[in-house]
Amino acid sequence: MKNILEEASTLAQAARIELPPILQALYRDGMTSYGKDRADWQANWERYLLEAPPALASSYDLEWLDAAAIAETINGWLHPQSQNGRSFFPFAQSGAGDVFCLTAHEGECVVVYIWHDSDAHTIEAFLFADFIYSRLVTAMTDMSHLLDDLSSADNGRLCLLADIRRLTTYLPAEDAMRLQAYLERPVIEVEVSYGRHTERVPCLIADEDYKLLMQGKRASERWPVNIVARWDVRSL
């Protein structure tokens, strides 16, 4: 049986997109898998999240795609014949079906976030390592989504710290050191504004620490390209 690295590499090659070394390593090491299989994940998901989570398990609304889902998303939506010649490699999705992809932009391979029902697409990172790093930093600023499954802020912290420890082995040394400096932080609560109302959310860092950790990193920015909607695309 082919592993996901082999299958993903074949799909990326067909799309003329080079997989970043960090993503290749995550595939190789099984870091994008949810247990050994569906039954294993359903039986042991809480232990995995607390001890050995899939990559970015602490990140809000991100689910890795397996090779079959990558192929389906390309063939059914994000293929050059329907996207004005542009190629994509979708590697993760949100619960609503929006996708995180690799694509070419100004001669570089960048991470973009493509909405399935909006034109508010964004460039999430200009390097895949920065994508991983920034998602971890953002998770440190608000862990409330982890309480949905893990029931307590303490368990959310354990998941986040396990995620950071596992992923820093793949990041550049400087980024790894910056994140590791916060591993002993206790859970705190800060007020976050959502439009006209505010909420208190559990987190490890407040705004000042977020700005410090993100120094030198380009934040998410608007990507004004036309993406043909999934329902207007004819599958390959």
Side-chain angles (χ1 to χ4, degrees):
M1 179 183 296
K2 293 182 178 179
N3 61 37
I4 187 171
L5 174 57
E6 184 177 351
E7 293 182 284
S9 297
T10 298
L11 292 167
Q13 185 176 16
R16 298 182 179 179
I17 291 175
E18 184 175 353
L19 294 181
I22 291 178
L23 182 54
Q24 292 184 47
L26 295 178
Y27 283 148
R28 180 198 66 214
D29 297 342
M31 291 286 289
T32 67
S33 299
Y34 296 92
K36 298 175 183 177
D37 51 36
R38 184 179 182 84
D40 176 47
W41 178 254
Q42 290 178 333
N44 300 292
W45 64 268
E46 187 169 14
R47 177 172 61 82
Y48 283 133
L49 288 181
L50 295 177
E51 299 176 6
L56 296 181
S58 64
S59 181
Y60 176 69
D61 204 15
L62 181 148
E63 178 183 352
W64 295 95
L65 299 176
D66 61 19
I70 293 170
E72 180 181 1
T73 303
I74 293 173
N75 295 332
W77 181 20
L78 296 174
H79 55 82
Q81 292 88 329
S82 290
Q83 299 299 339
N84 302 307
R86 186 180 294 277
S87 295
F88 295 92
F89 179 83
F91 60 87
Q93 67 179 7
S94 72
D98 309 315
V99 287
F100 298 90
C101 299
L102 297 171
T103 195
H105 173 74
E106 297 181 353
E108 301 293 335
C109 183
V110 300
V111 178
V112 296
Y113 186 65
I114 299 176
W115 293 73
H116 77 285
D117 59 355
S118 169
D119 62 356
H121 317 300
T122 53
I123 296 177
E124 292 295 294
F126 289 82
L127 295 171
F128 193 79
D130 285 351
F131 173 73
I132 297 292
Y133 177 87
S134 65
R135 295 292 294 194
L136 291 173
V137 173
T138 300
M140 293 166 71
T141 69
D142 184 352
M143 301 189 302
S144 55
H145 59 283
L146 293 172
L147 275 60
D148 294 339
D149 293 324
L150 295 174
S151 72
S152 74
D154 286 338
N155 281 344
R157 177 178 180 274
L158 290 176
C159 174
L160 175 54
L161 296 187
D163 205 10
I164 292 172
R165 288 190 179 100
R166 282 162 65 82
L167 284 173
T168 49
T169 64
Y170 299 89
L171 291 175
E174 182 179 352
D175 288 348
M177 290 177 62
R178 293 168 80 178
L179 290 173
Q180 289 164 352
Y182 289 81
L183 290 179
E184 301 303 321
R185 288 288 185 95
V187 176
I188 60 174
E189 284 193 352
V190 299
E191 284 193 350
V192 177
S193 296
Y194 296 100
R196 295 183 177 180
H197 72 282
T198 61
E199 294 181 9
R200 294 191 66 82
V201 301
C203 58
L204 292 188
I205 61 173
D207 189 55
E208 289 185 2
D209 288 312
Y210 173 82
K211 292 177 180 178
L212 182 64
L213 283 165
M214 291 301 293
Q215 280 184 352
K217 306 292 184 183
R218 294 178 67 174
S220 174
E221 60 185 60
R222 181 73 186 274
W223 192 45
V225 299
N226 177 49
I227 301 295
V228 179
R230 188 191 296 263
W231 50 83
D232 290 331
V233 167
R234 178 177 297 179
S235 298
L236 290 176

